[in-house]
Amino acid sequence: MSKTFETNFIWHNGSIVPWQEAKVHVMTNGLHYGTGVFEGIRAYWNGKQLYVFRLQDHVNRFFNSIKIYDFGIDFTKDQISEGIKETLRKNELKTDVYIRPLAVKGYGPIGLDVRKLKTEVFIITMPYGRYFEKEGIEVLVSSWRRISSQTLPVIAKVTGHYSNSVLAKLDALNKGFDDAILLNEEGKVCEGTGENIMMVKDGVIYTPPISAGILDGITRRSIMEFAPDLGLKVVEKDIDRGELYTADELFFVGTAAEVTPILKVDGRQIGDGRVGPVSKKLKEYFFSITQGKVDKYLKWLEAVW
Ligand code: PMP
């Protein structure tokens, strides 16, 4: 199997195996029913050290997702954290990296009784740059609604939940946009296909609350914590679609997207159509933090080497 990216070793159920051997059988339950949970984590190389950003918070969310679905896992949080660092070292990664822990319900008979199925755990690490190639993106408000927390526990990061994101993403791409914003079932702004959203209006940053049905994003929480250092305030509030159009700035935040300015929504230019000062300041500060240049936030970084 040809490699889709440069990584040589993958962690599988406690052992590090060569790329070619990190396999599951076609009767793996997760392939049929979306019964898997995952995380997306980044590690940043600053020329001297590789720092994993908020490793414990991501591992905690991983375990919470498993708990919500009652999948069970044969490893402790410490074993997964150590496994991540071990895999990064084994792959000799000294560059910016994306880390994908994945736990899927494994091999077994067809059907939904997953109780006796083994949870197969993988940790994939890969060199990774920007998720969006452009500095600022154009999005549409999707005609697909974000799955409601009455239908699925949206605070869990579950593989099956992402069919909703894939529908919205493909619709956006096919119409010439870079990504989509999804509204929730009440018609309020929820989040992107794999990002939380923030809006700047008159110098204040607004973001939908957890009760809007968003994923409790670690980047979002980080920004809420460090924004006051820049004299900025983040307020959680429900946002209407129309408010997006008159925002001074809009941006996506997330592990993959980091801080990505949105320059147009539904064809309407946001602000003056360029990357705004608040997005720019937050993005620069975010990268200083992830590179270990801000002492106050070294607490969020886990050194690999
Ligand atoms: N919402 C969704 C649907 C996501 O998939 C992600 C990415 N995990 C986020 C928000 C952002 O979360 P985080 O900052 O923890 O990556």
Side-chain angles (χ1 to χ4, degrees):
M1 206 175 288
S2 67
K3 290 194 208 172
T4 49
F5 46 79
E6 225 18 75
T7 193
N8 292 321
F9 298 99
I10 289 174
W11 189 100
H12 181 199
N13 293 340
S15 310
I16 291 189
V17 299
W19 164 277
Q20 294 79 359
E21 290 171 25
K23 287 180 181 171
V24 291
H25 193 269
V26 72
M27 287 297 283
T28 296
N29 191 272
L31 287 174
H32 299 244
Y33 305 113
T35 47
V37 311
F38 68 103
E39 268 304 315
I41 312 174
R42 273 191 189 260
Y44 291 89
W45 173 247
N46 68 3
K48 288 192 195 125
Q49 182 56 271
L50 184 66
Y51 283 124
V52 185
F53 186 63
R54 303 200 71 166
L55 178 61
Q56 294 318 316
D57 298 291
H58 282 282
V59 170
N60 285 340
R61 190 170 64 188
F62 189 59
F63 275 73
N64 282 339
S65 299
I66 291 168
K67 190 170 187 182
I68 287 169
Y69 270 81
D70 202 16
F71 285 159
I73 180 166
D74 295 336
F75 301 93
T76 62
K77 288 183 185 178
D78 281 349
Q79 284 173 312
I80 297 299
S81 302
E82 275 312 307
I84 288 170
K85 288 192 276 180
E86 202 187 326
T87 313
L88 291 166
R89 289 188 204 112
K90 182 78 179 171
N91 282 307
E92 296 176 12
L93 287 163
K94 292 187 174 178
T95 182
D96 289 350
V97 178
Y98 188 82
I99 303 159
R100 165 57 51 85
L102 174 71
V104 287
K105 274 305 188 186
Y107 180 83
I110 286 281
L112 300 177
D113 182 359
V114 299
R115 290 175 300 175
K116 292 201 180 75
L117 303 184
K118 183 179 170 66
T119 303
E120 298 278 345
V121 189
F122 294 92
I123 298 165
I124 308 151
T125 62
M126 64 190 94
Y128 200 73
R130 306 284 78 81
Y131 180 66
F132 291 106
E133 279 161 22
K134 299 183 205 163
E135 206 197 344
I137 58 168
E138 291 184 29
V139 306
L140 91 168
V141 175
S142 185
S143 55
W144 293 103
R145 293 300 167 99
R146 184 75 181 129
I147 41 177
S148 138
S149 55
Q150 294 179 64
T151 306
L152 292 166
V154 292
I155 55 164
K157 207 165 157 57
V158 177
T159 58
H161 295 186
Y162 280 77
S163 52
N164 177 241
S165 293
V166 169
L167 282 169
K169 181 83 181 183
L170 287 185
D171 185 40
L173 293 174
N174 288 334
K175 289 175 177 157
F177 295 88
D178 300 303
D179 208 340
I181 294 170
L182 289 102
L183 307 179
N184 61 24
E185 286 184 356
E186 283 74 50
K188 301 290 180 191
V189 172
C190 190
E191 59 185 341
T193 55
E195 312 88 6
N196 292 119
I197 188 165
M198 294 193 172
M199 170 181 93
V200 182
K201 186 81 185 163
D202 299 328
V204 179
I205 305 169
Y206 297 96
T207 194
I210 302 295
S211 58
I214 63 170
L215 185 81
D216 188 354
I218 290 164
T219 317
R220 173 184 174 278
R221 279 203 187 273
S222 305
I223 291 174
M224 289 172 74
E225 192 171 331
F226 71 64
D229 297 1
L230 304 170
L232 296 162
K233 195 163 91 172
V234 183
V235 177
E236 292 179 283
K237 83 167 194 85
D238 280 322
I239 298 172
D240 284 321
R241 180 177 187 163
E243 288 181 81
L244 297 174
Y245 300 156
T246 55
D248 298 326
E249 296 179 39
L250 276 180
F251 48 93
F252 276 149
V253 302
T255 298
E258 299 165 313
V259 176
T260 298
I262 298 171
L263 305 182
K264 267 188 180 179
V265 177
D266 292 337
R268 290 153 177 86
Q269 182 177 293
I270 302 305
D272 65 4
R274 285 178 300 194
V275 174
V278 173
S279 323
K280 190 164 178 282
K281 263 197 333 196
L282 282 174
K283 186 172 167 176
E284 282 168 6
Y285 196 47
F286 177 72
F287 283 133
S288 302
I289 290 170
T290 55
Q291 296 224 331
K293 292 179 187 155
V294 186
D295 287 352
K296 193 174 164 184
Y297 299 106
L298 286 174
K299 62 176 183 180
W300 285 343
L301 308 178
E302 187 105 10
V304 173
W305 294 101

